[in-house]
Amino acid sequence: MLMQDKLAYVAGVANHRSIAWAIAKALDREGCRLALGYLGEREKQEIDKLVGELKQAPLLVSCDVTRDESVGEAFALLGRECGRLDAVVHAIAFARREDLDGRYTDTSREGYHLALDVSAFSLNCLARGAEPLMTEGGGIVALTYLGSERAIANYNVMGVAKAALEAGIRYLAGELGPKGIRVNGLSAGPLRTLAARGIKDFSAMHRMHAERAALKRNTEIEEVADTALFLCSHLSRGITGEVIYVDGGFRIMGG
Ligand code: NAP
């Protein structure tokens, strides 16, 4: 029971395929009490269908990371209901389809701002909101992807957003470290989720990953969830500002 008597806020559960949902189940399995962030009523209905699978009933928190007042209300509720947080999971990203299908060169100003706002600046919002609640330190984990450091076809502006997210992880880790708050990234191999459906030719990317990865197979969502659990728990107490790859060794292979 790695997370017995701990409290975690997990943002980004859209449905049963979400990485955030797999992480929530792993944390719950280890005794953690959960607050789950959702965007709108449609997502809340999805989460309502899932929560019966958890051992402990979670607190459901409405939070649109693009609106300061929504983030403020979410953390006010977390403060009132939980009083403290030990872990935060950021599994949030969005880019407009046309900014993923076309050339990166042609990304619109509006599309660029939206992708960076939802997918990178949002980590600032969550970290700032959580800081006063993480009175005993703890772990913040953000989901990222290899497109941050390599030009991957059809990942485009999302790769730039992930690069900003990863740089943000390092700055936040440096600033929050004295309070015992660790901030890390988890770079996952391609997984079939709702967000992944927005990436053109995702199936080809998925197939190629299994062919080239050192382990010669695709990443499993439970592997990602268990690493997120590790990064939230005291087992990773000496690690901060890092990006950990859970990609079956895809990144380390040559062409
Ligand atoms: P997902 O299930 O679609 O989750 C993405 C989440 O972001 C959704 O819950 C979505 O809510 C939420 N979101 C979007 N805009 C938001 C906003 N304004 N405020 C609050 N939440 C918002 O897809 P996923 O693949 O699990 O993605 C989770 C994270 O993993 C993302 O950061 C993604 O980039 C990363 N990741 C994914 C893969 C992969 O292959 N799937 C690989 C590496 C990293 P709505 O559905 O309501 O919009």
Side-chain angles (χ1 to χ4, degrees):
M1 292 298 237
L2 276 176
M3 299 294 288
Q4 188 71 48
D5 300 325
K6 302 287 185 193
L7 292 131
Y9 175 49
V10 180
V13 181
N15 58 35
H16 71 284
R17 291 180 191 275
S18 295
I19 297 173
W21 176 240
I23 296 171
K25 285 192 291 184
L27 290 165
D28 176 73
R29 183 186 78 217
E30 296 296 328
C32 193
R33 278 175 53 207
L34 292 173
L36 302 179
Y38 66 90
L39 182 54
E41 268 316 301
R42 186 172 49 83
E43 291 73 33
K44 182 165 184 296
Q45 286 171 16
E46 284 294 321
I47 297 178
D48 280 337
K49 285 189 244 162
L50 298 174
V51 292
E53 293 177 34
L54 299 175
K55 289 195 285 189
Q56 301 190 66
L59 174 70
L60 301 188
V61 183
S62 163
C63 183
D64 177 351
V65 291
T66 62
R67 294 194 304 113
D68 285 338
E69 55 178 346
S70 173
V71 176
E73 283 166 15
F75 280 96
L77 178 66
L78 285 163
R80 278 197 309 276
E81 297 293 325
C82 302
R84 189 190 89 231
L85 280 176
D86 303 292
V88 175
V89 176
H90 175 285
I92 294 171
F94 182 77
R96 292 192 316 202
R97 199 166 188 128
E98 59 264 38
D99 291 318
L100 296 174
D101 281 3
R103 300 193 313 160
Y104 172 70
T105 311
D106 300 328
T107 308
S108 66
R109 187 183 297 271
E110 205 186 317
Y112 187 99
H113 284 171
L114 181 63
L116 272 281
D117 189 16
V118 176
S119 316
F121 181 70
S122 54
L123 182 63
N124 289 55
C125 299
L126 298 197
R128 198 162 50 211
E131 182 184 2
L133 298 177
M134 296 182 80
T135 47
E136 294 171 26
I140 299 177
V141 183
L143 271 295
T144 185
Y145 179 62
L146 185 61
S148 62
E149 55 180 278
R150 294 196 195 160
I152 292 182
N154 304 318
Y155 205 63
N156 298 2
V157 70
M158 189 52 79
V160 177
K162 292 301 191 193
L165 179 76
E166 290 177 18
I169 285 168
R170 290 184 282 273
Y171 280 94
L172 290 167
E175 289 177 5
L176 301 179
K179 294 187 171 177
I181 302 172
R182 299 174 296 102
V183 189
N184 288 294
L186 192 172
S187 187
L191 294 159
R192 293 189 186 282
T193 63
L194 192 62
R197 288 209 336 231
I199 299 167
K200 192 174 148 201
D201 294 335
F202 178 81
S203 289
M205 185 195 255
H206 200 243
R207 222 174 17 253
M208 191 260 288
H209 189 94
E211 283 163 14
R212 294 205 189 154
L215 296 181
K216 296 286 171 242
R217 61 169 176 81
N218 277 115
T219 301
E220 290 173 8
I221 201 162
E222 293 79 11
E223 297 167 341
V224 174
D226 283 345
T227 305
L229 166 68
F230 163 73
L231 289 173
C232 288
S233 80
H234 72 281
L235 291 182
S236 61
R237 61 196 174 278
I239 303 174
T240 195
E242 293 294 343
V243 175
I244 310 277
Y245 290 80
V246 183
D247 66 350
F250 180 85
R251 176 169 166 268
I252 55 106
M253 296 301 285

